[in-house]
Amino acid sequence: MTYLPYFVAAWLLIVGLYGIITSRHLVHLIMCLVVVQTSTYVLLLAIGFRYGAIAPVFADVPVGTPAVDSVVQALMLTDIVVEATVVALLLALAIKAHERTGSADPENLGLMRG
Amino acid sequence: MSFRWRKSLFVLSAAAFFAFYLWGLRGLPGLGHYPGPYGDIINAVVVSERHVTDAVTAVNFDYRGFDTLGEEFILFASVMGAMVLLRKSEDEEIDPPLDFAPDRVAPPMSDAVHLLGFLLAGPLLVFGLYTVTHGQLTPGGGFQGGVILASVPLMIYLSADYECFCRITSHTLAEVAEAAAAGGFALLGLIALLFGLPYLQNFLPLGETGNVASGGSIALISFLTGVEVAAGFVLLMMVFFSEAFVLRAIGEDKPEKKQKTRP
């Protein structure tokens, strides 16, 4: 029994969070958020994985062939695409924040501006 | 909170999280010993119940269709949000773009990129359409195919230039396509209600397994999703391109001026 992917998921989560809290640039912060989200992919796909099983596509194999979990794969699939658009939204926010404050450092966002 | 404090707080909470995580892992099966049952049940019944050979697509657009509807509206809202944020306000000058570093010449795109973009545009279009329409048979479907389709204008941009990208894409068309596809997905669920079925129930004839026209509403929803994803990504490319190519030089000197006047 190996638990390696679970540790990879935890590592990605922690490393991404560390990047977020120490980030000095908004684009870097958004990329760290992507790393955090990647940890959920690794964790869920690892849970659905099965040794010696095929992908859950029965186009040319008989039904009943051992296959990996199709539910987590469907979850990941939609999430990867949706995440890309959410990142685009965040990048748009970063552009606007930079226009407003003249700085891309998240530390400077909290300042009140009249 | 100072930087050092924040870091030490993080180290403490990360250590606590990791301890709980290790504790939680004891209850999980090791890698490769998936215990089921949900995936196994769907894998076993999907072909006979829905006449679809790709279980992932069936989960996405049928068994979990309502959830996918929600995800699709996250996508829709994100694209709309990015467009609203990057819209041109009246005080921003659009033309002509100012160049603040005229002495620095932008590096020319290499011939290899031009050629590859030119060669890939056609095959990617066909491959994208194939992926969108064959999601019920082989790996693929609206989400993957939509992204592949959206990369076609990107290839055109790489092989030619920004003007060419603008010529082959239409903002209005992309907006209408995205809205119509998102609305169509929701509407398809309502049509099921008309027949007295639950929302988003597969109500179309299932067809013959292995045929492109199989799976009932799965193929239709997959197609609508493909249109929405492709249109959404094209819209995103358009707003970001216009930001980078037209407004880059103009918009940036304003905040600096503001800061200088502040005491």
Side-chain angles (χ1 to χ4, degrees):
Chain A
M1 295 254 263
T2 171
Y3 286 89
L4 181 67
Y6 301 147
F7 290 114
V8 172
W11 170 250
L12 284 172
L13 178 77
I14 288 176
V15 130
L17 280 177
Y18 179 80
I20 286 176
I21 68 145
T22 59
S23 179
R24 306 311 299 266
H25 197 285
L26 283 171
V27 175
H28 170 261
L29 191 146
I30 293 166
M31 290 308 129
C32 290
L33 191 70
V34 175
V35 173
V36 170
Q37 198 163 16
T38 315
S39 74
T40 60
Y41 305 158
V42 176
L43 182 67
L44 282 178
L45 290 179
I47 286 174
F49 179 68
R50 175 178 280 159
Y51 284 120
I54 58 157
V57 178
F58 304 97
D60 45 10
V61 290
V63 180
T65 318
V68 299
D69 187 0
S70 47
V71 178
V72 287
Q73 296 215 347
L75 284 170
M76 291 304 94
L77 179 106
T78 52
D79 196 43
I80 289 169
V81 175
V82 171
E83 183 214 354
T85 57
V86 172
V87 166
L89 175 66
L90 291 173
L91 287 173
L93 276 172
I95 290 176
K96 282 293 148 185
H98 181 253
E99 265 177 28
R100 273 289 154 79
T101 62
S103 154
D105 189 344
E107 299 285 311
N108 296 339
L109 287 184
L111 301 174
M112 289 281 276
R113 269 160 214 279
Chain B
M1 208 190 312
S2 80
F3 209 64
R4 186 185 292 272
W5 262 104
R6 203 194 297 177
K7 234 181 201 171
S8 38
L9 190 66
F10 173 77
V11 170
L12 264 179
S13 22
F17 157 77
F18 200 68
F20 271 110
Y21 188 74
L22 278 183
W23 184 55
L25 274 188
R26 295 191 321 154
L28 275 182
L31 178 73
H33 297 82
Y34 170 66
Y38 306 110
D40 289 342
I41 293 173
I42 285 181
N43 289 346
V45 302
V46 65
V47 177
S48 56
E49 252 187 28
R50 294 289 189 259
H51 297 200
V52 161
T53 48
D54 183 3
V56 180
T57 307
V59 172
N60 253 336
F61 300 123
D62 193 328
Y63 295 109
R64 214 177 62 94
F66 189 60
D67 202 39
T68 307
L69 182 72
E71 296 227 25
E72 209 175 65
F73 275 92
I74 299 177
L75 186 141
F76 185 75
S78 310
V79 173
M80 288 302 129
M83 281 173 61
V84 167
L85 278 171
L86 297 179
R87 74 192 182 283
K88 308 281 175 291
S89 49
E90 281 159 15
D91 55 334
E92 278 171 318
E93 306 152 53
I94 305 267
D95 264 330
L98 285 175
D99 197 350
F100 278 111
D103 50 320
R104 274 187 294 170
V105 186
M109 195 101 70
S110 79
D111 288 343
V113 174
H114 279 298
L115 184 69
L116 207 63
F118 177 71
L119 288 179
L120 277 176
L124 274 177
L125 181 67
V126 177
F127 184 53
L129 287 172
Y130 164 78
T131 312
V132 168
T133 49
H134 287 68
Q136 60 276 28
L137 303 178
T138 45
F143 282 100
Q144 304 95 312
V147 176
I148 299 172
L149 280 179
S151 67
V152 173
L154 199 63
M155 289 303 143
I156 303 282
Y157 160 66
L158 284 179
S159 66
D161 52 7
Y162 179 54
E163 278 92 66
C164 197
F165 174 82
C166 290
R167 242 195 346 266
I168 62 148
T169 52
S170 153
H171 201 280
T172 324
L173 184 68
E175 259 182 0
V176 168
E178 205 208 356
F185 191 167
L187 214 65
L188 212 63
L190 288 177
I191 293 173
L193 287 183
L194 286 182
F195 291 104
L197 297 164
Y199 187 72
L200 271 178
Q201 176 85 26
N202 198 338
F203 62 89
L204 293 170
L206 290 174
E208 194 187 329
T209 310
N211 199 320
V212 179
S214 64
S217 66
I218 293 177
L220 198 54
I221 295 178
S222 172
F223 178 73
L224 286 173
T225 310
V227 172
E228 169 165 17
V229 171
F233 273 84
V234 168
L235 280 175
L236 283 178
M237 272 181 235
M238 285 169 134
V239 290
F240 275 96
F241 276 167
S242 68
E243 184 77 13
F245 287 107
V246 183
L247 284 178
R248 179 185 61 193
I250 308 163
E252 271 181 5
D253 63 340
K254 279 180 199 159
E256 278 168 22
K257 271 185 206 155
K258 259 189 225 161
Q259 278 174 343
K260 275 175 199 158
T261 52
R262 197 169 286 126

